[in-house]
Amino acid sequence: MDNSEKFNMSVPVLFGLEAFASKELKRMGLENVRAEDGRVTFTGGWQDVYRTNIMLRTGERVMIKTAEFEAETFEELFEKTKAAEWERFLPPDCAFPVKGHSVKSQLASVRDCQAIIKKAVAARLGEKYGIEWLPEDGAEYAIRFTILKNRVTLMIDTSGEPLHKRGYRQYSNAAPLRETIAAAMVMLSYWKYEYPLLDPFCGSGTIPIEAAMFKRNKAPGLGRAFAADSFAQLDGESRRRAEEEARSLEKNVPLEIYASDIDRECVELTLENAKKAGVDGFIKAEVKNAAEAFIGKPYGTIMCNPPYGERMGEKRECEELYRAVGKSFSRFDGWSFYILTSNEDFEKLFGRRADKRRKIYNGMIKCNIYQYFGKKPPKPF
C-alpha cells in the first residue's frame, strides 16, 4: 500500500446530516473537507478508507471519487468515463458491477447509463493492461454513479453494506430510526454524560445505543465487514491499524441511560441490541407508557423519536399522544428535550414552542428535531 497516495473521496449522507459528517471528518484530520447537498467530499489515502468506514457515525458510505463531469449525450458519457484513471484503482481481474441513478437529466435511462459506463471502464482497462478480455473473476470493486441535471459523478464503493447498518440491530420494530440520524441527534444535543438520558419511545433501542457509543467514543464500524476488505490495495494490517486507532480513542466514562416503550417486545429488542453493541451495561429498559415515564432527578435529557402517524387514523392518535406527552414532560423542568417528528403542528400539540428546530430527512420523510433547553444545572463548587 502506498501511504503517500491521495485521491478524492465522497461520503453520501441523508439530507440534513452534511454538517455532522463534515465535523467528523475534520476531527479525523482529513484534508479539503467540503459539505455539499447530500454528501461531504474530502481528500484521503488508502489507510483513510478503513479509518472513515470504521469511525464515521453519520455517513452512509465511503466512496472513492474517480471522475466528475458534464454529459448530455451517451457519447459524451462514454468518452468522459473512459478518460478517467480507472487503472489507478481497479486491478485487471476485478469484477466491477455498475449501479446508479439519474435525476432531472437528459441521460434519463439508468439501464443505458449502466451499460455505457461499464463498456467505457472495460475499454479503458483493456487498453491500459493490454488485454482484450477482462475476466472479472477477482475482487469486487462496485462502481456507483449519480447523474443530477447532467452532472455525472463516478465513484467506487468501499463500504458494501451501508454504514448505518452497524450490525447490532439484526431485528427491529416496525418503524426503525436509522442509526445515522440517532447519532446526529446525540451529536446535536448538549447532553453531558454526568446526567441521565431518557428515551420513552425506545423502539429497538437505536437512540440509547448510539448515545452510549458516542459518549464512550466507541467506533460504530468495529468488527463489521466492508467491501474494501477484498481490495488489492488494502490488507489485514491496514485494518488492524485503523481498528487500533479507533480503540485507542475510546473513553471510559460512566453513563446513566434509560429506555422505555409501551411495547414489551420493543423493550426486549432494545436490551438484546444493546448487548450486541457492547453497551448493555449502560442502558436500563422497562415497559412503560411514554406519558408516565419519569426519572426523579432534577437535570437530564430526553431524546426520542415518537410515532409520526402518516395515515389519517394514526395521525389523530399521534396528535393525542403529543398532547399527553407535552403535559407529562412539563414535570421535567430541569431537563432538555430533543424530539424528532414529521408533524408540522408538533409545537402546538406539545404545548410549547421549541427553542430551536433542525430540519432533517428520515429517509424521504421531512422531519424536524425540536429542541427544548432546560435549566442549566448549578456549577459544582
Side-chain angles (χ1 to χ4, degrees):
M1 180 179 68
D2 182 359
N3 288 314
S4 64
E5 185 179 8
K6 300 287 184 181
F7 38 83
N8 294 325
M9 301 178 75
S10 178
V11 174
V13 298
L14 294 175
F15 285 105
L17 300 192
E18 296 89 349
F20 298 99
S22 177
K23 191 173 183 179
E24 288 191 86
L25 292 165
K26 286 176 181 176
R27 281 181 175 170
M28 290 183 210
L30 294 161
E31 301 172 351
N32 304 318
V33 177
R34 181 182 173 187
E36 303 172 6
D37 285 345
R39 67 177 179 177
V40 181
T41 60
F42 65 98
T43 303
W46 285 109
Q47 188 63 32
D48 296 317
V49 168
Y50 268 138
R51 293 179 70 233
T52 49
N53 271 300
I54 288 170
M55 291 193 274
L56 267 175
R57 300 180 191 280
T58 56
E60 290 299 315
R61 295 179 184 276
V62 177
M63 319 278 272
I64 295 171
K65 191 162 73 168
T66 56
E68 192 165 20
F69 51 81
E70 299 283 340
E72 296 183 2
T73 67
F74 289 126
E75 183 180 355
E76 272 188 293
L77 179 63
F78 178 87
E79 293 299 335
K80 290 180 179 179
T81 298
K82 186 183 175 185
E85 296 180 308
W86 293 101
E87 70 281 0
R88 184 180 176 191
F89 305 103
L90 306 186
D93 64 340
C94 75
F96 52 101
V98 179
K99 295 180 181 179
H101 61 269
S102 178
V103 179
K104 297 179 181 178
S105 169
Q106 288 176 258
L107 304 175
S109 170
V110 171
R111 182 174 293 181
D112 287 338
C113 290
Q114 284 178 296
I116 289 164
I117 291 169
K118 177 85 174 180
K119 185 178 179 182
V121 174
R124 172 81 183 202
L125 294 179
E127 285 181 10
K128 293 298 177 180
Y129 289 123
I131 51 179
E132 293 183 6
W133 179 74
L134 299 173
E136 289 200 63
D137 56 2
E140 181 174 291
Y141 290 67
I143 295 172
R144 292 182 175 267
F145 68 88
T146 62
I147 307 176
L148 177 61
K149 297 179 180 178
N150 302 324
R151 185 73 181 174
V152 181
T153 305
L154 301 175
M155 299 164 287
I156 299 168
D157 180 16
T158 74
S159 299
E161 285 276 9
L163 295 182
H164 75 262
K165 295 187 177 182
R166 319 287 204 217
Y168 63 73
R169 200 174 68 178
Q170 294 180 7
Y171 303 100
S172 62
N173 60 320
L177 177 67
R178 194 170 291 197
E179 294 86 335
T180 45
I181 295 178
M185 289 181 72
V186 179
M187 293 167 70
L188 177 68
S189 77
Y190 293 108
W191 171 53
K192 292 181 170 57
Y193 71 82
E194 295 92 343
Y195 300 97
L197 175 75
L198 166 65
D199 179 0
F201 298 93
C202 66
S204 50
T206 310
I207 290 175
I209 292 169
E210 291 295 324
M213 292 177 69
F214 178 74
K215 284 301 179 184
R216 292 182 67 86
N217 209 28
K218 183 179 174 67
L222 284 169
R224 60 152 283 181
F226 302 109
D229 290 337
S230 62
F231 284 13
Q233 297 88 346
L234 292 163
D235 55 23
E237 177 61 20
S238 307
R239 175 154 192 158
R240 187 191 64 77
R241 286 201 306 273
E243 290 189 337
E244 251 183 26
E245 179 189 355
R247 289 193 175 96
S248 74
L249 298 171
E250 289 184 13
K251 299 174 183 176
N252 185 21
V253 296
L255 296 172
E256 190 178 355
I257 300 176
Y258 298 90
S260 60
D261 201 286
I262 197 169
D263 187 336
R264 179 173 296 277
E265 188 175 312
C266 286
V267 172
E268 290 171 355
L269 270 175
T270 293
L271 292 171
E272 184 179 339
N273 291 337
K275 188 173 183 179
K276 287 175 186 170
V279 295
D280 51 312
F282 310 104
I283 298 172
K284 297 175 183 176
E286 63 178 340
V287 178
K288 189 172 282 189
N289 187 310
E292 298 170 356
F294 184 68
I295 307 295
K297 299 198 175 182
Y299 303 102
T301 297
I302 289 176
M303 198 175 297
C304 60
N305 174 42
Y308 300 164
E310 293 299 308
R311 292 192 289 269
M312 187 56 69
E314 293 176 348
K315 186 176 181 180
R316 284 194 292 269
E317 288 179 14
C318 287
E319 287 175 352
E320 289 303 315
L321 176 64
Y322 295 161
R323 290 189 183 99
V325 167
K327 291 176 183 176
S328 174
F329 283 12
S330 64
R331 295 176 292 169
F332 294 81
D333 63 341
W335 286 53
S336 295
F337 313 138
Y338 297 84
I339 304 169
L340 176 72
T341 177
S342 64
N343 193 309
E344 295 289 343
D345 296 322
F346 174 77
E347 290 166 298
K348 181 181 177 182
L349 297 164
F350 190 69
R352 180 177 161 191
R353 189 175 179 83
D355 295 304
K356 276 188 176 181
R357 289 186 298 274
R358 181 80 174 231
K359 187 168 70 175
I360 210 164
Y361 279 80
N362 186 7
M364 298 301 293
I365 303 173
K366 186 179 81 170
C367 300
N368 279 296
I369 301 174
Y370 293 93
Q371 304 164 59
Y372 298 87
F373 305 136
K375 298 174 184 176
K376 289 185 179 180
K379 293 182 180 179
F381 295 104

